[in-house]
């Protein structure tokens, strides 16, 4: 693993990007609270106002509607290659180095559907790619990789309208089914059969699910033998990032889940996935191009059952 040299970054970069910007993100989220309260009062949704968990969902729905597209723009140049089979050991490749997402898919926590278009065929999806993604010639998956069915398992009702709209925009009404429950209720919903799924896709959502050890193990049972789990998640800081950033993440995590829809910064998601069940192949690593002072570091890769 290549470890970035702390000397190559200026003090200003570390201060602004590493130390201050996470608080700006929290502040931005808090600035949505008055708007959400007003919206709920105007629509007469008083029960949502009185329930902390439902209010948090509504607040996060409003926040993500604005911030999500920006996050997607930054993450697109990593997630699209991941789903096209062009990442390995935390690096992005120009050529295809593994299988693309295909067949029957569970998308865990699709939120407002920012990634839905990626499941569509090349022509439709291309129109929705960011300029960066087009410029770098992404969408280079193998031609036989076709997604035939997607179950979008999303419990937050405040996401559903936008999610349905993005499914329609991508022309995927026939294959993308929104399952309006949390993954902990997927089994009782009876909508997806265990052992029937070719691929699971989780993008920035395993930080937000309850009881990750139990629920990730449960999701594992939905994969067929040979099925693949594509992961792009932010995780607990890595030891090579040093004690200060590690401690700083611990401090931030006191406030983060309360302000960002229950999102936890300190999850060791790679370990939880590895322990979910036997895998025939694991390719999961910290994303190579990130700085050591990133308090929200990402890991990327594919687990094959
Ligand atoms: C940070 S958002 C990311 C949404 C989307 N993947 C994206 O990248 O735009 C996390 C998502 O996980 C969802 N989530 C939370 N708990 C969940 C659960 N138990 N099962 C499935 N999804 C869940 C949230 O509702 C939210 O939409």
């Amino acid at each position: 693993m290549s470890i970035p040299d702390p000397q190559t970054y200026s003090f200003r970069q570390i201060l602004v990007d590493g130390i201050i910007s996470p608080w700006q993100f929290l502040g931005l989220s808090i600035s949505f609270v008055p708007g959400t309260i007003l919206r709920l009062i105007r629509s007469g949704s008083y029960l949502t106002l009185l329930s902390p968990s439902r209010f948090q969902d509504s607040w996060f729905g409003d926040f993500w509607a604005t911030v999500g597209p920006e996050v997607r723009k930054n993450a697109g140049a990593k997630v699209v290659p991941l789903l096209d089979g062009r990442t390995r050991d935390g690096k992005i490749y120009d050529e295809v180095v593994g299988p693309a997402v295909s067949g029957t898919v569970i998308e865990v926590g699709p939120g407002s559907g920012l990634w839905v278009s990626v499941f569509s065929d090349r022509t439709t999806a291309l129109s929705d790619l960011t300029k960066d993604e087009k410029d770098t010639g992404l969408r280079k998956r193998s031609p036989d990789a076709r997604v035939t069915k997607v179950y979008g398992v999303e419990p937050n009702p405040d996401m559903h309208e936008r999610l349905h709209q993005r499914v329609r925009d991508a022309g995927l009404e026939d294959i993308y089914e929104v399952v309006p429950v949390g993954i902990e209720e997927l089994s009782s919903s009876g909508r997806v059969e265990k052992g029937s799924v070719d691929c699971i896709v989780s993008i920035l959502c395993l930080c937000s699910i309850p009881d990750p050890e139990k629920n990730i193990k449960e999701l594992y049972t939905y994969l067929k033998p040979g099925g693949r789990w594509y992961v792009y998640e932010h995780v607990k800081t890595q030891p090579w990032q040093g004690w200060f950033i590690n401690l700083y993440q611990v401090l931030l995590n006191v406030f983060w889940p309360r302000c960002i829809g229950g999102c936890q910064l300190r999850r060791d998601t790679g370990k939880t996935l590895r322990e979910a069940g036997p895998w025939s192949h694991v390719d999961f690593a910290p994303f190579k191009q990130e700085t050591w002072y990133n308090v929200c570091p990402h890991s990327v890769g594919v687990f094959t059952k």
Side-chain angles (χ1 to χ4, degrees), residues 57 60 64 68 71-72 107-115 153-156 159 181-184 202-210 215 260-261 263:
D57 276 355
F60 185 69
W64 205 246
V71 173
R72 192 227 179 273
E107 185 184 9
V108 187
S112 54
L114 292 170
W115 301 101
V153 182
E154 174 53 62
N156 184 347
M159 298 287 189
V181 298
I183 54 174
E184 62 280 15
S202 55
I203 303 164
L204 302 174
C205 65
L206 298 182
C207 51
S208 302
I209 63 169
N215 287 317
I260 315 285
C263 166

Side-chain angles (χ1 to χ4, degrees), residues 202-230:
S202 55
I203 303 164
L204 302 174
C205 65
L206 298 182
C207 51
S208 302
I209 63 169
D211 202 345
E213 281 77 19
K214 179 167 171 260
N215 287 317
I216 287 175
K217 258 196 188 113
E218 171 76 3
L219 270 171
Y220 175 92
T221 64
Y222 284 86
L223 278 177
K224 290 176 182 169
R228 303 178 297 282
W229 191 329
Y230 294 77

